[in-house]
Amino acid sequence: MVETGTIPARSGAAFDVRAGHSVRIINTHGAQVVDFFAFNAAEPLEHLSMPHTHAALNRVVPQPGDTLTSSKRRAMLTITEDTTPGVHDTLIAACDPWRYQELGVQGWHASCAENLEKALKEKGISIGFTPSPFNLFMNIPVEDGSLSFEEPLTSPGEYIEMRAEMDLVVVCSACPQDILKINKQNPTEAHYEVR
Ligand SMILES: [Zn+2]
């Protein structure tokens, strides 16, 4: 059985993925960054950690076959399939109210940090901080130690699929960034499937 859900534009979604099941994140419209977070369902303070994953893999961008690790250095998810060009980001913090202030926004602007907090709250979870996300489809090329924020290289319908290695609460945020070009300045919805 496949459970399908929408990650609404500029918003987030939280859902369970049991150990051994797979989660597919679909870039429905082709140019949407999805900030991906995962938490140990039994102990949500243990979270998917990009710095720990870097050390486990000796790689910056994980690829099919790679296992992503938690803040306690345990296996959380294994990438089983990636139909995109394989460009994802693991370096950049989730956008947050301060990021939009810094970019000159006056007043409230949706952010991945707030989307995470709201989505976890619906699950009765509060962790009090924002882990560094696995930024799916986000194109942050690094050259000679410098990086830049570029448009995604994905096409509509491309996806990445990961198998849960423990019972997880997953949160996905359709990044509302509309000032930089990472979503082609047009944030859209994305979709997920759990099977
Ligand atoms: Zn964001």
Side-chain angles (χ1 to χ4, degrees):
M1 210 185 96
V2 181
E3 173 200 339
T4 304
T6 300
I7 310 161
R10 301 173 184 265
S11 189
F15 49 93
D16 300 315
V17 185
R18 304 293 300 267
H21 289 237
S22 290
V23 55
R24 179 181 292 191
I25 309 297
I26 304 156
N27 200 340
T28 313
H29 300 287
Q32 178 60 47
V33 168
V34 174
D35 284 36
F36 180 96
F37 305 88
F39 303 87
N40 177 350
E43 185 198 343
L45 284 177
E46 181 178 9
H47 59 87
L48 177 63
S49 170
M50 291 301 102
H52 293 80
T53 297
H54 294 153
L57 297 179
N58 289 326
R59 288 186 59 81
V60 174
V61 182
Q63 56 189 14
D66 286 346
T67 296
L68 316 179
T69 53
S70 75
S71 48
K72 293 191 173 177
R73 299 186 191 273
R74 295 199 297 159
M76 275 203 133
L77 292 140
T78 299
I79 300 177
T80 49
E81 196 180 358
D82 186 358
T83 69
T84 77
V87 174
H88 309 285
D89 169 72
T90 62
L91 300 175
I92 303 297
C95 64
D96 51 34
W98 306 284
R99 178 59 161 155
Y100 291 103
Q101 269 179 29
E102 191 178 74
L103 291 169
V105 172
Q106 306 282 332
W108 179 83
H109 191 291
S111 67
C112 290
E114 191 184 271
N115 289 344
L116 170 68
E117 191 184 342
K118 283 184 184 168
L120 283 179
K121 201 173 175 186
E122 284 170 17
K123 286 275 181 193
I125 298 169
S126 171
I127 57 166
F129 64 97
T130 307
S132 286
F134 184 16
N135 294 311
L136 303 177
F137 321 122
M138 189 175 182
N139 181 16
I140 307 288
V142 179
E143 279 178 45
D144 295 332
S146 296
L147 55 79
S148 59
F149 290 70
E150 305 296 340
E151 293 182 351
L153 301 178
T154 38
S155 302
E158 290 182 343
Y159 62 84
I160 184 168
E161 187 167 304
M162 295 175 264
R163 183 182 65 238
E165 303 295 355
M166 62 172 74
D167 289 351
L168 299 173
V169 172
V170 166
V171 176
C172 290
S173 170
C175 182
Q177 176 60 262
D178 51 8
I179 299 160
L180 306 178
K181 57 185 174 184
I182 59 163
N183 300 305
K184 290 193 178 172
Q185 277 144 338
N186 180 30
T188 61
E189 64 184 355
H191 290 88
Y192 66 88
E193 293 175 359
V194 179
R195 64 191 75 220

Coordinates of all heavy atoms in Angstrom, one line a residue, residues 32-35 37 93-96 99-100 110-113 115 133 135 138 173-177 182-183, ligand 1:
Q32 N 11.4 22.8 -7.0 CA 11.1 23.1 -5.6 C 12.1 22.4 -4.7 O 12.3 21.2 -4.7 CB 9.7 22.7 -5.3 CG 9.3 22.9 -3.9 CD 9.4 24.4 -3.5 OE1 8.9 25.3 -4.2 NE2 10.0 24.7 -2.3
V33 N 12.8 23.2 -3.9 CA 13.7 22.6 -2.8 C 12.8 22.1 -1.7 O 11.8 22.8 -1.3 CB 14.6 23.7 -2.3 CG1 15.3 23.2 -1.0 CG2 15.6 24.1 -3.4
V34 N 13.1 20.9 -1.2 CA 12.4 20.4 0.0 C 13.4 20.2 1.1 O 14.3 19.4 0.9 CB 11.7 19.0 -0.4 CG1 11.1 18.4 0.9 CG2 10.6 19.3 -1.5
D35 N 13.2 20.9 2.2 CA 14.0 20.6 3.4 C 13.5 19.4 4.1 O 12.4 19.3 4.4 CB 14.0 21.8 4.3 CG 14.8 23.0 3.8 OD1 14.8 23.3 2.6 OD2 15.3 23.8 4.7
F37 N 13.8 16.6 7.1 CA 14.2 16.4 8.5 C 13.7 15.0 8.9 O 12.6 14.6 8.5 CB 13.6 17.4 9.4 CG 13.9 18.8 9.1 CD1 13.0 19.5 8.2 CD2 15.0 19.5 9.6 CE1 13.3 20.9 7.9 CE2 15.2 20.8 9.3 CZ 14.4 21.5 8.5
A93 N 21.9 26.0 6.3 CA 20.9 25.9 7.3 C 19.5 26.1 6.7 O 19.4 26.8 5.7 CB 21.2 27.0 8.4
A94 N 18.5 25.6 7.4 CA 17.1 25.9 7.0 C 16.9 27.4 7.1 O 17.4 28.1 7.9 CB 16.2 25.2 8.0
C95 N 16.1 27.9 6.2 CA 15.7 29.3 6.2 C 14.9 29.6 7.5 O 14.1 28.7 7.9 CB 15.0 29.8 4.9 SG 13.4 29.0 4.6
D96 N 15.0 30.7 8.0 CA 14.3 31.1 9.3 C 14.0 32.6 9.3 O 14.4 33.3 8.4 CB 15.2 30.7 10.5 CG 16.6 31.2 10.4 OD1 16.8 32.3 9.8 OD2 17.6 30.6 10.8
R99 N 16.8 34.9 8.6 CA 17.3 34.9 7.2 C 16.5 35.9 6.3 O 17.1 36.6 5.6 CB 17.2 33.5 6.6 CG 17.6 33.3 5.2 CD 19.1 33.7 5.0 NE 19.6 33.1 3.8 CZ 20.7 33.6 3.1 NH1 21.3 34.7 3.6 NH2 21.1 33.0 2.0
Y100 N 15.2 35.9 6.5 CA 14.4 36.8 5.7 C 14.6 38.3 6.1 O 14.6 39.2 5.3 CB 12.9 36.4 5.7 CG 12.8 35.1 4.9 CD1 12.6 33.9 5.6 CD2 12.9 35.1 3.5 CE1 12.6 32.7 4.9 CE2 12.9 33.9 2.8 CZ 12.7 32.7 3.5 OH 12.7 31.5 2.8
A110 N 7.1 33.2 5.7 CA 7.1 31.7 6.0 C 8.6 31.3 5.9 O 9.4 31.8 5.1 CB 6.3 30.9 5.0
S111 N 8.9 30.3 6.7 CA 10.3 29.7 6.7 C 10.3 28.3 7.0 O 9.3 27.7 7.6 CB 11.2 30.5 7.7 OG 10.7 30.1 9.0
C112 N 11.3 27.6 6.5 CA 11.4 26.1 6.8 C 11.5 25.9 8.3 O 11.0 24.9 8.8 CB 12.6 25.5 6.0 SG 12.4 25.5 4.3
A113 N 12.2 26.7 9.0 CA 12.3 26.5 10.5 C 11.0 26.6 11.2 O 10.6 25.7 12.0 CB 13.3 27.6 11.1
N115 N 8.1 26.1 9.6 CA 7.3 24.9 9.1 C 7.6 23.7 9.8 O 6.7 22.9 10.2 CB 7.6 24.7 7.6 CG 7.0 25.8 6.7 OD1 6.2 26.5 7.1 ND2 7.5 25.9 5.5
P133 N 19.1 20.7 7.7 CA 18.3 19.7 6.9 C 19.1 19.1 5.8 O 20.2 19.6 5.4 CB 17.2 20.6 6.3 CG 17.7 22.0 6.4 CD 18.8 22.1 7.4
N135 N 18.8 19.1 2.3 CA 18.1 20.0 1.4 C 18.0 19.4 0.0 O 18.8 19.5 -0.9 CB 18.8 21.4 1.3 CG 18.8 22.1 2.6 OD1 17.7 22.3 3.2 ND2 19.9 22.6 3.0
M138 N 18.3 21.0 -3.8 CA 18.9 22.3 -3.7 C 20.3 22.4 -4.3 O 21.1 21.5 -4.0 CB 18.9 22.7 -2.2 CG 19.3 24.2 -2.0 SD 19.2 24.5 -0.2 CE 19.6 26.3 -0.2
S173 N 9.6 20.3 4.4 CA 9.2 21.7 4.2 C 9.4 22.1 2.7 O 10.6 22.0 2.2 CB 9.9 22.6 5.1 OG 9.7 24.0 4.8
A174 N 8.4 22.5 2.0 CA 8.5 23.1 0.7 C 9.0 24.5 0.9 O 8.3 25.4 1.3 CB 7.2 23.1 -0.1
C175 N 10.3 24.7 0.6 CA 11.0 25.9 1.0 C 10.3 27.1 0.4 O 10.1 27.2 -0.8 CB 12.5 25.8 0.6 SG 13.4 27.3 1.1
P176 N 10.0 28.1 1.3 CA 9.3 29.3 0.8 C 10.2 30.4 0.3 O 9.7 31.5 0.0 CB 8.5 29.8 2.0 CG 9.3 29.3 3.2 CD 10.0 28.1 2.8
Q177 N 11.5 30.1 0.1 CA 12.4 31.1 -0.4 C 12.0 31.6 -1.7 O 12.0 30.9 -2.7 CB 13.8 30.4 -0.4 CG 14.9 31.3 -1.0 CD 15.2 32.6 -0.2 OE1 14.7 33.7 -0.5 NE2 15.9 32.5 0.9
I182 N 16.8 29.8 -5.6 CA 16.9 28.4 -5.4 C 15.6 27.7 -5.7 O 15.6 26.5 -6.0 CB 17.3 28.0 -3.9 CG1 16.3 28.6 -2.9 CG2 18.7 28.5 -3.6 CD1 16.3 28.0 -1.5
N183 N 14.4 28.3 -5.7 CA 13.2 27.7 -6.2 C 12.7 28.4 -7.4 O 11.5 28.5 -7.7 CB 12.1 27.9 -5.1 CG 12.5 27.2 -3.8 OD1 12.8 26.0 -3.8 ND2 12.5 27.9 -2.7
Ligands
ZN1 ZN 13.6 27.2 3.3

